[in-house]
Amino acid sequence: MENKKQFIKGFAVGILVTVLLAGGIFAGSNALTKASDEKKAESGELNLTSSQVEDKITEIETLVQNYYLNDIDTDQVENYLYKGMIVGLDDPYAAYYTKEEYQSLMDSTNGSYYGIGVEMSQNMTTGIITITRVFEGSPAEEAGLLPGDVIYRVDDEEVTGEDLTKVVSKVKGAEGTTIPISVAREGESDYLTFDVERRMIEISTVAHKLLDGNIGYISVTSFDDVTVNQFLAALDDLENQGETALIIDLRNNGGGLVSSACSMLDRLLPEGLIVYTEDKYGNRDEMKSDVENYFDKPLVLLVNGNSASASEIFAGAIKDYGIGTLVGTQTFGKGIVQKIYPLSDGTAVKLTVSKYYTPNGNNIHGIGIAPDVEVELDPAVANEVVIPEEKDNQLQKAMEILTEK
């Protein structure tokens, strides 16, 4: 009986929060008449406070409390009320986050976390989640996980189709604990399962070195809070070493903070527009570079099909300004912007709020950015954790282009 009382309370709370999200009024109010309900329905306006919706929820609630056999997880019922509203938008990038999921998301951009040391990307059409990078010396590498592994189960729960951020939160946990990760691997007839220890993972989003011919090389694996200073420090160090040209590697960089990407572009571009966004009302928000600094040496940008979102903002600006050559394969094609809205109870929702456009006015959503020089990575090295410089044919092509210049 106590569970059923909590269940009813869960339904009531769920209805209330849903109404607040929709900008409506409290359930049970007489302010919304049948006529206004019909008018909103005709206009396509979201109206989750309509009498029909309230009546149907009450009807389901009554059936559940009278006939449902098993115990009720009231927290789960409440969470799925909110999740259902967002799922109904049919937007693979929208999501509802519980308190734990939201906290995990915030932790993932602060520079360190307890995890296994991998980066993942998701095919938004199939829901398939793939490991794109395994950190050197990480628990994931020690356990035997490889780039290209398709994640099937995390902690014995299937994750295909789950929101990627939620999968990341499942992987994280208390330091020293282990988590089973099941993957599908090319050439293997059955799933492989690895017990991987969680440890403190220090995120170094930028690596750099000076290559032969005084060509600078900077790899950027994601755009986080820490990335801007790491990138600027790497660029300064290479210039102090006498670099004459530069390669920036955005392969397998799934994006991150647009603000970080724009701050880095401000150091490279001449004065002008970096990117702009437009919302559903046509409101335009522009991000610009100033005249203080710009990069005036030969530049190559390495990209591939896992270069997405903020990486494409970066690549689009470089291409539109004509200050660098894109080498690799077509980028992912994510030209929309999501924003996370924290809610009063510590949960949050992520919504698609605008489209972004390159300086020349191109929206590349569902299309991607074509490289100036197309080069497929040699399949023989595609699944290696660290690809030796001499075997990386995309990198070698970039060096060849810069040497000729």
Side-chain angles (χ1 to χ4, degrees):
M1 181 61 69
E2 182 61 29
N3 273 344
K4 288 183 177 178
K5 289 180 180 178
Q6 291 176 342
F7 171 73
I8 294 170
K9 180 182 177 183
F11 254 98
V13 172
I15 294 170
L16 174 59
V17 175
T18 300
V19 169
L20 292 175
L21 280 172
I25 59 175
F26 292 98
S29 170
N30 294 322
L32 287 177
T33 64
K34 183 178 180 180
S36 65
D37 289 348
E38 292 175 351
K39 183 177 180 181
K40 288 186 176 183
E42 291 173 0
S43 68
E45 183 178 344
L46 185 62
N47 182 21
L48 298 182
T49 60
S50 72
S51 57
Q52 287 182 333
V53 172
E54 293 173 14
D55 290 346
K56 189 166 184 176
I57 289 178
T58 301
E59 187 177 0
I60 295 172
E61 175 190 341
T62 301
L63 289 170
V64 170
Q65 68 176 339
N66 287 340
Y67 301 112
Y68 184 64
L69 176 64
N70 299 321
D71 290 337
I72 299 167
D73 185 334
T74 55
D75 288 338
Q76 179 170 287
V77 171
E78 184 178 335
N79 282 332
Y80 271 85
L81 280 170
Y82 314 139
K83 290 175 186 286
M85 180 181 177
I86 303 302
V87 170
L89 299 175
D90 195 25
D91 181 348
Y93 295 103
Y96 168 81
Y97 299 114
T98 64
K99 290 180 183 179
E100 294 77 14
E101 291 166 346
Y102 180 50
Q103 185 60 52
S104 175
L105 176 64
M106 295 298 98
D107 291 344
S108 68
T109 61
N110 69 4
S112 62
Y113 62 91
Y114 297 129
I116 65 172
V118 299
E119 290 181 350
M120 299 174 274
S121 69
Q122 185 170 37
N123 183 310
M124 302 312 296
T125 301
T126 64
I128 290 174
I129 297 172
T130 304
I131 295 176
T132 57
R133 182 188 180 204
V134 177
F135 290 90
E136 262 190 286
S138 69
E141 183 186 22
E142 294 170 5
L145 290 170
L146 297 175
D149 284 346
V150 174
I151 298 179
Y152 175 59
R153 288 181 180 272
V154 173
D155 201 16
D156 297 324
E157 294 183 7
E158 186 174 350
V159 297
T160 303
E162 285 280 335
D163 178 75
L164 180 59
T165 304
K166 295 178 183 178
V167 176
V168 171
S169 72
K170 288 178 186 289
V171 171
K172 294 177 181 178
E175 185 177 19
T177 59
T178 61
I179 185 167
I181 308 287
S182 297
V183 302
R185 179 175 294 172
E186 187 175 357
E188 299 289 343
S189 59
D190 204 354
Y191 294 109
L192 305 176
T193 299
F194 302 86
D195 289 324
V196 192
E197 183 184 7
R198 296 179 175 110
R199 295 204 297 260
M200 174 67 77
I201 305 296
E202 295 292 339
I203 303 174
S204 179
T205 59
V206 174
H208 73 284
K209 58 185 175 181
L210 194 66
L211 304 175
D212 292 343
N214 287 331
I215 297 174
Y217 171 85
I218 301 177
S219 170
V220 182
T221 58
S222 63
F223 293 97
D224 297 333
D225 284 327
V226 297
T227 307
V228 178
N229 287 337
Q230 291 177 0
F231 176 80
L232 295 178
L235 190 58
D236 287 344
D237 183 51
L238 289 171
E239 290 183 340
N240 289 336
Q241 292 185 56
E243 70 167 14
T244 57
L246 178 65
I247 297 169
I248 299 176
D249 191 347
L250 297 185
R251 291 175 296 179
N252 300 319
N253 183 327
L257 301 176
V258 173
S259 58
S260 293
C262 289
S263 294
M264 293 157 64
L265 284 165
D266 184 34
R267 174 63 178 81
L268 301 174
L269 298 177
E271 184 178 15
L273 184 64
I274 297 175
V275 65
Y276 68 92
T277 62
E278 285 188 359
D279 65 15
K280 65 189 292 184
Y281 303 106
N283 296 320
R284 179 165 165 160
D285 186 18
E286 298 182 345
M287 282 146 274
K288 297 181 177 181
S289 60
D290 57 35
V291 72
E292 186 176 350
N293 294 296
Y294 65 92
F295 190 79
D296 60 356
K297 300 172 185 176
L299 172 67
V300 166
L301 198 65
L302 289 172
V303 294
N304 65 8
N306 291 321
S307 304
S309 193
S311 286
E312 292 175 293
I313 289 176
F314 201 102
I318 296 295
K319 187 167 187 174
D320 282 4
Y321 275 92
I323 68 167
T325 303
L326 271 60
V327 174
T329 56
Q330 191 97 357
T331 63
F332 183 83
K334 183 175 181 287
I336 50 179
V337 179
Q338 284 71 45
K339 184 175 180 180
I340 295 174
Y341 296 90
L343 304 179
S344 58
D345 63 350
T347 61
V349 292
K350 179 174 68 173
L351 300 174
T352 299
V353 296
S354 59
K355 297 179 181 179
Y356 77 73
Y357 297 83
T358 69
N360 287 347
N362 299 315
N363 176 258
I364 50 82
H365 191 64
I367 301 170
I369 299 174
D372 299 303
V373 180
E374 185 169 359
V375 182
E376 292 279 353
L377 183 64
D378 184 352
V381 299
N383 292 331
E384 294 191 22
V385 174
V386 179
I387 302 175
E389 180 184 318
E390 65 276 8
K391 293 184 179 180
D392 188 342
N393 60 308
Q394 292 176 325
L395 176 62
Q396 292 298 318
K397 185 62 177 180
M399 294 175 66
E400 177 187 324
I401 290 170
L402 292 175
T403 301
E404 291 173 354
K405 291 186 175 182

